[in-house]
Amino acid sequence: GELAPGMRLNEAALATRMGTSRGPIREAIRMLAGKGLVTPVAHRGMFVRQISMRDMLESYDLRALLFSFAARRATEFLTPERLPVLEQLHADMEQACRDNESGRYYELNLRFHALILEYSNNRHAAQVYEAQTNELHLFRRRFFNYANKMQRSNEEHRAILDAIVAGDGARAAELAEQHVLAGKQRLLDSVDDIDFK
């Protein structure tokens, strides 16, 4: 969040700031471009990606459908080895809520969602979901900082996990879609200036 959308990435300045040569910076920028977080502009360099509010809203809607699909399938493919991993991740998110550690919660939240996609046993869905999630980092990182939002989000995670454990794929899918759409609304409630370009 330190580099604003539209800001040019200066390799030399970043290398000096990070205390490294330009090679690792160049590689990191290539990785960010691969994740869709920076954009190359011909003859001008690399820039922090700008995403419009309309793009953000459309990404949320697509994520809701994908996460719903993944939760239904994760119910089918839940194994005794997978369940404790999800339970521990949920417990870690609960602890982050109690400690009011929004940065830690954010990272754990990403991992929880990624695991549900992984456990859906559908690589294509996971790849598309990851691309949409990467696109939304530009918004979500900036606005996801409130303890009550973390708690509500994690209560929704608990309900999804309970439905998966109960073997109720339809309920897990419904709750997963509602969860992403609720996250979309929480984000909208945090945004002051909405630009629907």
Side-chain angles (χ1 to χ4, degrees):
E2 290 180 39
L3 303 177
M7 182 179 282
R8 183 176 180 277
L9 299 179
N10 181 314
E11 284 182 14
L14 287 169
T16 299
R17 179 178 172 187
M18 301 292 176
T20 187
S21 67
R22 289 174 67 166
I25 298 297
R26 190 174 299 119
E27 183 59 30
I29 289 173
R30 270 194 222 118
M31 290 172 62
L32 291 171
K35 290 186 172 219
L37 296 173
V38 298
T39 305
V41 177
H43 310 295
R44 295 190 58 221
M46 299 294 269
F47 293 80
V48 177
R49 177 146 182 237
Q50 296 185 68
I51 178 172
S52 71
M53 184 60 69
R54 179 177 179 170
D55 290 337
M56 185 273 292
L57 295 174
E58 289 176 0
S59 287
Y60 259 100
D61 291 341
L62 182 54
R63 281 183 66 237
L65 293 173
L66 288 168
F67 195 52
S68 173
F69 166 81
R72 180 187 306 272
R73 287 188 45 106
T75 303
E76 297 171 31
F77 295 107
L78 186 65
T79 65
E81 295 78 26
R82 290 177 168 183
L83 178 57
V85 178
L86 288 169
E87 290 287 3
Q88 183 59 56
L89 199 48
H90 184 268
D92 292 345
M93 286 188 286
E94 274 299 309
Q95 188 61 50
C97 288
R98 284 192 295 275
D99 296 341
N100 199 25
E101 293 180 357
S102 61
R104 178 166 161 66
Y105 182 85
Y106 183 82
E107 295 302 326
L108 293 167
N109 175 56
L110 291 177
R111 181 72 183 131
F112 181 83
H113 283 246
L115 269 181
I116 297 292
L117 266 294
E118 180 184 327
Y119 292 171
S120 77
N121 289 3
N122 188 303
R123 290 171 299 142
H124 295 290
Q127 289 167 354
V128 174
Y129 189 86
E130 181 182 10
Q132 296 304 308
T133 299
N134 286 337
E135 192 170 86
L136 291 171
H137 282 314
L138 301 170
F139 276 93
R140 294 172 73 211
R141 269 278 198 214
R142 186 170 163 202
F143 295 106
F144 199 89
N145 280 321
Y146 305 103
N148 63 335
K149 291 182 182 183
M150 290 188 288
Q151 192 58 53
R152 275 184 288 165
S153 171
N154 211 36
E155 288 167 4
E156 292 163 9
H157 290 151
R158 180 76 257 169
I160 294 164
L161 188 49
D162 288 346
I164 289 172
V165 171
D168 190 344
R171 181 71 177 144
E174 178 186 0
L175 290 168
E177 182 174 6
Q178 289 172 2
H179 170 63
V180 175
L181 294 177
K184 172 184 167 183
Q185 188 58 52
R186 284 190 285 272
L187 182 65
L188 284 171
D189 291 343
S190 302
V191 178
D192 295 329
D193 300 318
I194 299 179
D195 178 10
F196 287 93
K197 288 182 182 173

